[in-house]
Amino acid sequence: MANQHTETELQWNTPETLRALLCELVNWESRTTTEGEKAFPHRLAEKLKSVPYFEAHPEQLELHDAGLGRNSVTALYKNHKAQDTIVLISHFDTVWTEEYGALEPFAFHPEELTVKLHEYKDELPEEALTDLESGEYLFGRGTMDMKMGLALHMSLIEKAASEQWPVNLVLLAVPDEEVSSAGMRTAVKSLVRMKQEHDLTYTLFLNGEPVFSQEPGDLREYIYSGSIGKIMPAALFYGRETHVGEPLKGITSTFMASFLTQRMEWNNVFEETDHGETTPLPVTLQQKDLKAHYSVQTPYRSTALYNVFTMRRTAAEVMELFEGIAKEAVRACESAYTEVSEREGISKIGEIKLLKFEELMDYATNKLGEAEVKRIITEVSGDWELDDRDKSFKIVDTLMIECQELAPATVLLFAPPYYPAVNTSDDALVQELVQLMQDKATSLGTEVSQIHYFNGISDLSYVHYEDEGTGWKSFERNTPVWGSTYWMPFEEMKALDAPVLNVGPFGKDAHQRTERLHIESAFVRLPQMLETLAMHFCGK
């Protein structure tokens, strides 16, 4: 296939022009939940209009509502001789920048920041200082995670359209990946619609997340044939209040919480191993009591939020494990409480109950009526000062306040977000592509290893969903904000059944002040690797 355009006619086809594109994208500040995140997709769409193909086909460049004034962007290059379609996935939101301190004004200016850091050498960790002095890295917020992935996809689709490659490409750039993935969750429905409208066959979902180290000091480069899952079982502990001068008249929620947290932290019951890789152990992400102010009233309502990684387990299976551990915790708490009661010669205030949120909902609906329960959920969900985690706990707390006869009790629930694990390592196409990428990397003077589960959590979780039963129903029924401020398009996710792969640039220290991108990997090797991958679908 002869090139119809020379390199000089393409905007982003050299290391220098690609670097300039990345710096421009990083300059467009787009921290999650900011006005910059809202403005970014509009600027991106305007940028893509400079590609002649999209100037000629503006209808194939779309914005998709992602809620709260945010939008995703899709750009479809369609070759009418092809049905095979690669979906190029990236996110444009970044985490915040407080950790940069005096350097914060430079956080979104990679060239300036990389120069300025030489004045702050004594503040840099040894490895970051070595990389700075090597001249092999470009520093800045979003350089690694993950605007370089977007820049690479823009370069690829520009070249494919210019040279009329016989393959279809959908560039998808989404907001909110760093918090709740609202961008990707809403974009799933758009992808299903586009598939039908344009008669596309989705052949591969290709993410551009950067390489994440497997351990401190890891310098190896990877490609990923799956993405680890993340789910957050949580609990509200409702005790019995009393004055600190009469401690035995009540039971503190902090006392109750301690028994479950000790059993959840680092519990290898949740550990999964697949393809020789093992999930990190669960940890507590948050634990607090709900007293708004200091007083001598004992804390009687507390919450705990736990992080669990998954590979094969469904939400239903995680809840089953969680409930089993919670039963152990309640028995241990009861035993300790009984021992104190007998020692002090006092009567217990009651047995500690254990129930799931769906059971609390049934009880509250029977007592208060369906309309009142809906009113409570709607009122709490409408409080925009609270995030989805806080809303989840407040819904449970409000219902328990109306049903105090259940106390003391532990209520189990799920808190958003939920990232189902995805893995297509055994897919024949993925195996071909992994080998192709490894061979190409070798020809470029480096080595790339395969990892079966991307350990940074990614939007690939929302495609190729394989739950054959109703594993997700447990998540729906036990997530208090389900259907109001949080949802997942499970049926549409199942419809997007093409395999997944993540091929991205090498970098270090995502979400840290020293976030940086390897220049050779990003601007020299990855463009060639991605072009080789796309050409695999062109019969070349």
Side-chain angles (χ1 to χ4, degrees):
M1 183 191 307
N3 289 356
Q4 297 188 358
H5 297 261
T6 65
E7 280 194 5
T8 55
E9 292 177 299
L10 294 170
Q11 299 179 82
W12 311 309
N13 199 43
T14 68
E16 294 75 23
T17 55
L18 193 53
R19 181 167 174 160
L21 173 63
L22 171 66
C23 289
E24 183 176 3
L25 296 177
V26 173
N27 289 166
W28 301 347
E29 179 275 317
S30 53
R31 293 169 296 172
T32 310
T33 71
T34 65
E35 291 301 312
E37 183 186 32
K38 296 177 184 177
F40 189 98
H42 299 277
R43 302 178 78 168
L44 176 60
E46 285 300 313
K47 191 72 176 176
L48 286 166
K49 287 178 184 177
S50 67
V51 175
Y53 179 85
F54 294 113
E55 187 177 13
H57 300 87
E59 74 283 359
Q60 288 172 211
L61 187 59
E62 297 182 79
L63 295 179
H64 307 270
D65 181 22
L68 303 180
R70 301 167 300 190
N71 288 273
S72 299
V73 179
T74 57
L76 167 64
Y77 159 66
K78 183 172 174 59
N79 186 300
H80 292 282
K81 297 178 182 179
Q83 274 200 318
D84 281 348
T85 306
I86 306 172
V87 181
L88 308 169
I89 299 172
S90 64
H91 70 85
F92 54 75
D93 63 312
T94 72
V95 295
W96 284 56
T97 52
E98 298 93 332
E99 73 275 12
Y100 282 87
L103 289 168
E104 191 169 15
F106 300 94
F108 298 108
H109 300 275
E111 304 289 7
E112 293 92 330
L113 176 64
T114 303
V115 172
K116 193 73 175 176
L117 279 169
H118 285 274
E119 300 175 18
Y120 291 79
K121 290 182 177 181
D122 57 337
E123 297 182 10
L124 296 179
E126 183 177 348
E127 185 178 354
L129 177 58
T130 299
D131 289 345
L132 175 67
E133 293 180 333
S134 73
E136 296 176 359
Y137 288 82
L138 188 65
F139 288 70
R141 174 62 77 239
T143 52
M144 173 195 177
D145 185 17
M146 69 162 292
K147 289 182 177 176
M148 189 64 225
L150 172 57
L152 287 162
H153 293 170
M154 292 170 69
S155 173
L156 187 69
I157 202 168
E158 178 195 36
K159 191 169 187 181
S162 174
E163 299 179 359
Q164 299 179 26
W165 295 357
V167 64
N168 303 318
L169 299 177
V170 176
L171 181 150
L172 169 62
V174 302
D176 191 50
E177 191 270 352
E178 299 292 0
V179 178
S180 295
S181 283
M184 189 63 192
R185 287 185 289 113
T186 51
V188 163
K189 294 189 176 184
S190 298
L191 289 175
V192 172
R193 174 184 57 78
M194 291 175 65
K195 178 182 179 181
Q196 297 166 345
E197 285 183 4
H198 298 281
D199 191 25
L200 304 174
T201 299
Y202 291 146
T203 311
L204 180 71
F205 292 99
L206 181 65
N207 205 358
E209 288 278 8
V211 173
F212 276 69
S213 64
Q214 296 296 294
E215 57 191 24
D218 183 10
L219 299 178
R220 291 167 293 184
E221 298 185 36
Y222 303 104
I223 52 178
Y224 306 85
S225 48
S227 191
I228 201 167
K230 167 193 168 75
I231 193 166
M232 293 197 291
L236 181 133
F237 308 89
Y238 201 109
R240 188 69 59 81
E241 73 276 18
T242 185
H243 189 284
V244 293
E246 299 178 301
L248 297 177
K249 282 191 174 182
I251 181 171
T252 66
S253 55
T254 47
F255 177 76
M256 295 165 59
S258 66
F259 289 89
L260 182 55
T261 293
Q262 285 188 52
R263 283 161 177 77
M264 283 297 295
E265 193 96 2
W266 307 325
N267 191 329
N268 63 3
V269 167
F270 290 96
E271 192 174 74
E272 289 188 70
T273 297
D274 188 49
H275 288 88
E277 297 170 17
T278 301
T279 56
L281 294 172
V283 292
T284 307
L285 284 177
Q286 184 186 76
Q287 183 165 310
K288 61 183 179 180
D289 72 67
L290 299 183
K291 283 177 63 176
H293 307 286
Y294 169 81
S295 75
V296 292
Q297 182 191 58
T298 56
Y300 66 100
R301 292 138 57 224
S302 293
T303 61
L305 181 63
Y306 308 105
N307 188 87
V308 172
F309 287 113
T310 65
M311 287 179 172
R312 295 293 181 184
R313 289 191 181 117
T314 65
E317 290 168 328
V318 172
M319 178 55 80
E320 185 178 357
L321 289 174
F322 185 44
E323 188 176 15
I325 291 164
K327 287 178 180 177
E328 294 177 10
V330 167
R331 284 196 296 267
C333 184
E334 277 280 4
S335 177
Y337 177 45
T338 299
E339 183 180 337
V340 172
S341 300
E342 292 175 350
R343 185 190 72 202
E344 300 297 326
I346 56 102
S347 299
K348 293 168 59 178
I349 61 172
E351 299 291 324
I352 299 173
K353 299 177 182 65
L354 177 67
L355 61 161
K356 293 184 289 189
F357 175 70
E358 60 184 310
E359 295 168 326
L360 174 61
M361 278 286 287
D362 289 342
Y363 185 93
T365 300
N366 287 332
K367 178 181 179 180
L368 306 173
E370 186 175 349
E372 176 62 10
V373 170
K374 284 185 176 179
R375 185 198 66 77
I376 289 170
I377 293 175
T378 299
E379 182 176 302
V380 174
S381 298
D383 187 345
W384 298 111
E385 293 186 1
L386 302 177
D387 68 17
D388 279 342
R389 273 67 54 195
D390 292 330
K391 288 176 183 179
S392 297
F393 287 128
K394 189 169 182 178
I395 288 169
V396 180
D397 184 43
T398 305
L399 292 177
M400 277 299 299
I401 289 173
E402 297 297 328
C403 302
Q404 293 184 42
E405 64 273 16
L406 293 175
T410 297
V411 183
L412 308 181
L413 62 141
F414 283 125
Y418 174 28
Y419 290 81
V422 58
N423 184 273
T424 55
S425 297
D426 297 329
D427 184 89
L429 173 62
V430 168
Q431 292 173 349
E432 287 180 29
L433 295 176
V434 167
Q435 188 62 56
L436 184 67
M437 292 294 90
Q438 291 176 329
D439 292 345
K440 184 62 178 179
T442 299
S443 74
L444 295 172
T446 191
E447 292 184 5
V448 170
S449 300
Q450 179 185 5
I451 294 290
H452 298 279
Y453 289 91
F454 177 70
N455 57 322
I457 307 170
S458 80
D459 280 336
L460 286 177
S461 285
Y462 302 107
V463 297
H464 200 82
Y465 185 70
E466 291 187 309
D467 183 2
E468 295 298 330
T470 56
W472 72 65
K473 293 295 183 182
S474 178
F475 186 81
E476 292 183 5
R477 292 193 297 261
N478 290 292
T479 300
V481 292
W482 181 266
S484 55
T485 61
Y486 189 82
W487 52 272
M488 288 175 63
F490 287 113
E491 291 293 348
E492 290 85 353
M493 286 158 55
K494 290 179 71 173
L496 300 176
D497 59 353
V500 306
L501 197 63
N502 191 100
V503 180
F506 181 72
K508 297 181 183 179
D509 293 354
H511 297 193
Q512 297 179 47
R513 185 190 195 193
T514 48
E515 178 181 349
R516 57 199 182 276
L517 180 72
H518 191 271
I519 293 169
E520 179 83 9
S521 170
F523 303 120
V524 179
R525 294 199 293 268
L526 260 296
Q528 297 180 64
M529 292 175 66
L530 291 176
E531 181 173 344
T532 298
L533 187 151
M535 283 295 172
H536 181 79
F537 296 89
C538 300
K540 298 195 70 174

